[in-house]
């Protein structure tokens, strides 16, 4: 039974309900406003290989496919790339030995990665710190054992093998142990090329201090700037989790040339679910780039109780990671989300030409007045900055 | 009849359809995800004075009221302000003499303003360039006759009289004629204090060049920065129309201290309707401020035909201004929209304490790393800027 004030765990996504109950004569209008249109039509379904569909049934994960088109151009061929995104539960109990937990998540995510490869994905992104439970709520430092080298760690190596096998770029977000800098811990996305080589890495720019997101207990703000990775299949960037709340983080990745910005995340319903459909999509619109929001799924329970800074009793779970991973396009259209309760793989064909076409149409990049903002920020960062306030003189 | 691919004019808003067709056991969940929650509950209805409701019926305009709460604080009283927003059609034919067109819109909007005052609004905002048809599609310069002084113009004077009568702050967006600077034309919002005095003005920062929005034919980028107006009822700012596509425009108003940012607009369905619910709401979330999106309503037809830069035949209308004005709160919740086809007045009680409470909770203002972006923008504005690109060395 679902409550009428909106239970967090009792339904499997807004789209299913809209499709089920809105009459056909209204559904198009509702979806046009809520999900936009791509080249004048609803975002199209992608025909998926029956063998891949069968794997998703046998292995019990959500599988969805969509296509974003662009207009044909006269002087440039279309540039369609198939992008994959994976959301997954932590499959093993957090009470098991760490080696067993790692083996379980490697098995499950390895299976999902191989399905993406078999489904033809050329760029694949996993969720934030996928090899470990999102244990930062506990503030217990033993979880740091899971941190691994961005160059030689076992989860990175798993992704390198898969990248080589499928000729697929893989973004592998991990908890990084930086032994070259005195065992510094980072929240990092490793970008692996389609030949299995490591192209580079990006470290999370913005670190939360809210709710159970005690990440600032574990690692600091990243020191890698806003890199864009030029891969065989497109120029991509990674805005890790909480960075999606910072419009400038998305923006600077796009200003550096990203055409797809991935947002591997781990976020829970009570805090952020109404924001989830807004932020990545706004970033796609504002910046003329595809934005890919990927959220963890399921409820993780930890061995020892902890409090959440909200005055409520100690407990052992983080709340429900609501999945709902989706892709937003620069023209304002978006896909439905993956399921709220199940592992999932989404395959999305996107014509990257849509990025420049949208920029040419809207012209945000030329009407942005960057000089004005450069000047503003120089002044604002001074401790004695005086805000531009005009007070009603009659008061 | 509505088409299933989403007609632009055939329905009166997504919310009406959701309320009508989604069963009660699912409606709460759908609305929680799509419209958010304010202090743990759906955004509440505001009880409206029966005499005001009667006026809306007699004068045939949509009237809606909502309340945004904040948590009680121990050291600061609540700061509830009633905000009004008005969307209106251009009531007279654009073929009539300009004096008659102006008299007609003054009559109609004057009535709506007085209803807002009678309904208790303390800060009221009108739509972009409300005293004139949105004639910039035509590129005909005769429409510049409508431009008026921001200090002594007749539409400003009308608002000053109403501000004095009702003790109400009014934001009056006009086409400004700046005779002190050689008859320069601007797109300007005049901010009038609750004593009827002019507090100041803001000129539109970002000017579109897209579709029928030939505004760059008429006026240039504003030269007033990002002012925040400290009124008797709160600190407010005005992000005029196309500036909503620029996340930094919202952001700098908020960084200067705005707690309510109004977005008086004029935008049409084919271009922007799926973006409309995203941009102002994202700005509210990202910046810890209320965002108020106000759109013109109706279809305006002009005496002479014009083309739209889309290869289609010449025509005489701009498309449908879809209304749908709404308010978004810093906690991610939002109101439903006003109607898509009718004039409308929305009255919204908002506890401005929600702004600082949300900032204290999420901490975006402290995790934003402004120094990093200040440095980036200084580099980016150089013509020889080299983007931070990491190329796969194996390619």
């Amino acid at each position: 039974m679902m409550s009428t004030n909106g239970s967090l765990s009792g339904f499997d996504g807004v789209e299913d309900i809209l499709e089920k109950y809105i009459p056909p004569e209204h559904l198009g209008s509702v979806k046009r406003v809520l999900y936009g249109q791509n080249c004048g039509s609803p975002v199209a379904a992608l025909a998926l290989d029956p063998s891949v569909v069968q794997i998703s049934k046998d292995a019990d994960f959500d599988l969805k496919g969509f296509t974003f088109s662009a207009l044909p151009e006269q002087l440039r061929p279309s540039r369609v790339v198939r992008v994959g995104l994976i959301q997954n539960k932590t499959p093993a109990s957090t009470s098991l030995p760490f080696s067993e937990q790692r083996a379980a998540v490697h098995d499950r995510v390895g299976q999902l990665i191989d399905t993406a490869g078999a489904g033809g994905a050329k760029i694949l992104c996993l969720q934030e710190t996928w090899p470990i439970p999102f244990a930062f709520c506990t503030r217990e430092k033993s979880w740091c054992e899971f941190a691994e080298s961005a160059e030689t760690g076992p989860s990175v190596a798993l992704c390198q093998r898969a990248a080589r096998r499928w000729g697929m770029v893989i973004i592998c977000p991990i908890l990084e142990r930086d032994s070259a800098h005195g065992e510094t811990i980072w929240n990092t996305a490793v970008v692996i090329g389609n030949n299995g080589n490591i192209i580079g890495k990006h470290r999370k720019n913005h670190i939360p201090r809210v709710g159970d997101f005690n990440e600032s207990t574990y690692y600091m703000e990243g020191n890698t700037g806003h890199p864009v990775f030029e891969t065989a299949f497109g120029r991509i960037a990674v805005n890790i989790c909480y960075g999606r709340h910072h419009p400038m983080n998305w923006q600077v990745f796009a200003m550096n040339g990203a055409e797809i910005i991935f947002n591997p995340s781990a976020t829970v319903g009570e805090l952020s679910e109404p924001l989830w459909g807004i932020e990545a999509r706004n970033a796609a619109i504002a910046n003329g780039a595809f934005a890919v929001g990927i959220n963890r799924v399921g409820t993780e329970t930890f061995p020892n109780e902890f409090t959440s800074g909200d005055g409520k009793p100690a407990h052992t779970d983080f709340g429900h990671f609501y999945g709902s991973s989706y892709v937003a396009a620069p023209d304002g259209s978006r896909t439905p989300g993956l399921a709220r309760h199940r592992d999932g793989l989404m395959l999305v064909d996107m014509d990257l030409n849509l990025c420049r076409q949208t920029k040419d149409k809207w012209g945000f990049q030329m009407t942005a007045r960057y000089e004005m903002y450069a000047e503003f920020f120089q002044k604002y960062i001074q401790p004695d900055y005086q805000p531009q306030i005009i007070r009603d003189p009659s008061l």
Side-chain angles (χ1 to χ4, degrees), chain A residues 107-386:
Chain A
D107 276 357
R108 177 60 168 175
V109 174
Q111 177 184 47
L112 289 161
I113 293 172
D114 284 340
T115 312
K122 291 298 163 196
I123 305 176
L124 177 68
C125 187
L126 306 175
Q127 70 197 20
E128 186 185 22
T129 62
W130 68 270
I132 77 169
F134 211 73
F136 311 117
C137 50
T138 67
R139 290 178 284 120
E140 298 165 10
K141 291 301 175 76
S142 56
W143 298 102
C144 290
E145 275 204 56
F146 275 97
E148 61 182 270
S149 161
E151 287 73 36
T152 61
S155 308
V156 177
L158 180 152
C159 289
Q160 287 183 278
R161 288 191 297 274
R164 207 172 292 122
R165 175 175 179 192
W166 297 105
M168 175 166 69
V169 172
I170 301 183
I171 298 168
C172 172
I174 60 169
L175 189 66
E176 179 192 359
R177 178 176 294 282
D178 180 8
S179 295
H181 291 90
E183 305 296 341
T184 297
I185 306 289
W186 303 100
N187 184 318
T188 299
V190 182
V191 179
I192 297 162
N194 56 309
N195 295 316
N197 56 308
I198 293 171
I199 303 177
K201 64 190 171 192
H202 174 61
R203 291 169 174 154
K204 186 170 180 173
N205 271 332
H206 301 274
I207 310 298
R209 290 115 162 107
V210 55
D212 279 334
F213 294 84
N214 292 311
E215 297 170 54
S216 66
T217 309
Y218 290 85
Y219 40 80
M220 307 295 284
E221 283 69 16
N223 60 355
T224 52
H226 291 85
V228 170
F229 300 93
E230 190 171 338
T231 75
F233 308 112
R235 287 175 299 174
I236 64 177
V238 196
N239 176 347
I240 304 176
C241 197
Y242 180 80
R244 75 180 173 282
H245 305 303
H246 290 280
M248 286 197 296
N249 202 39
W250 296 98
Q251 181 174 323
V252 176
F253 287 121
M255 290 166 84
N256 277 330
E259 294 183 306
I260 312 171
I261 306 173
F262 294 91
N263 176 232
S265 297
T267 184
V268 290
E270 284 188 46
L271 203 60
S272 71
E273 195 166 358
L275 285 54
W276 179 249
I278 304 295
E279 293 166 315
R281 192 165 170 209
N282 191 74
I285 295 164
N287 299 303
F290 287 92
V292 180
I294 305 171
N295 188 21
R296 195 170 275 247
V297 70
T299 301
E300 299 177 356
T301 304
F302 294 94
N304 307 314
E305 66 180 5
F306 53 89
T307 54
S308 300
D310 57 5
K312 293 180 182 166
H315 52 104
T316 58
D317 79 284
F318 201 139
H320 177 63
F321 295 107
Y322 52 80
S324 308
S325 305
Y326 72 102
V327 178
D331 63 4
S333 61
R334 61 157 286 184
T335 70
L338 285 173
R340 290 182 78 257
H341 291 95
R342 301 171 69 207
D343 289 358
L345 166 66
M346 189 182 287
L347 296 169
V348 180
D349 279 2
M350 47 179 80
D351 188 340
L352 298 181
N353 281 1
L354 188 61
C355 298
R356 197 178 79 176
Q357 287 179 14
T358 308
K359 287 184 173 183
D360 283 353
K361 178 178 176 184
W362 280 98
F364 299 157
Q365 76 281 20
M366 290 182 291
T367 54
R369 305 187 71 182
Y370 297 121
E371 292 81 0
M372 177 171 66
Y373 294 98
E375 185 183 342
F376 170 80
F377 282 105
Q378 284 300 326
K379 292 179 182 167
Y380 185 81
I381 59 175
Q382 303 305 320
D384 62 351
Y385 173 70
Q386 292 298 320

Side-chain angles (χ1 to χ4, degrees), chain A residues 4-177:
Chain A
T4 52
N5 69 356
S7 82
L8 294 175
S9 59
F11 78 111
D12 207 42
V14 166
E15 295 91 6
D16 289 351
I17 295 175
L18 298 181
E19 296 279 351
K20 185 167 178 184
Y21 294 106
I22 305 287
E25 67 268 27
H26 296 297
L27 187 59
S29 296
V30 168
K31 286 171 72 174
R32 182 184 63 77
V33 172
L34 293 181
Y35 294 86
Q37 292 195 323
N38 170 241
C39 296
S41 299
V43 176
L46 173 68
L48 296 163
D49 188 289
S51 68
V52 171
V53 174
Q54 192 57 48
I55 294 170
S56 75
K57 289 178 180 166
D58 296 342
D60 189 24
F61 60 85
D62 190 20
L63 175 69
K64 290 192 169 86
F66 301 97
T67 298
F68 290 101
S69 303
L71 297 174
E73 298 186 17
Q74 296 196 41
L75 299 178
R76 191 170 68 158
S78 68
R79 294 184 298 137
V80 177
V81 58
R82 183 163 297 179
V83 169
L85 47 129
I86 287 171
Q87 65 177 33
N88 65 278
K89 296 179 187 176
T90 289
S93 165
T94 58
S95 301
L96 288 173
F98 286 178
S99 58
E100 293 179 30
Q101 292 186 46
R102 177 185 276 168
V105 73
H106 278 199
D107 276 357
R108 177 60 168 175
V109 174
Q111 177 184 47
L112 289 161
I113 293 172
D114 284 340
T115 312
K122 291 298 163 196
I123 305 176
L124 177 68
C125 187
L126 306 175
Q127 70 197 20
E128 186 185 22
T129 62
W130 68 270
I132 77 169
F134 211 73
F136 311 117
C137 50
T138 67
R139 290 178 284 120
E140 298 165 10
K141 291 301 175 76
S142 56
W143 298 102
C144 290
E145 275 204 56
F146 275 97
E148 61 182 270
S149 161
E151 287 73 36
T152 61
S155 308
V156 177
L158 180 152
C159 289
Q160 287 183 278
R161 288 191 297 274
R164 207 172 292 122
R165 175 175 179 192
W166 297 105
M168 175 166 69
V169 172
I170 301 183
I171 298 168
C172 172
I174 60 169
L175 189 66
E176 179 192 359
R177 178 176 294 282

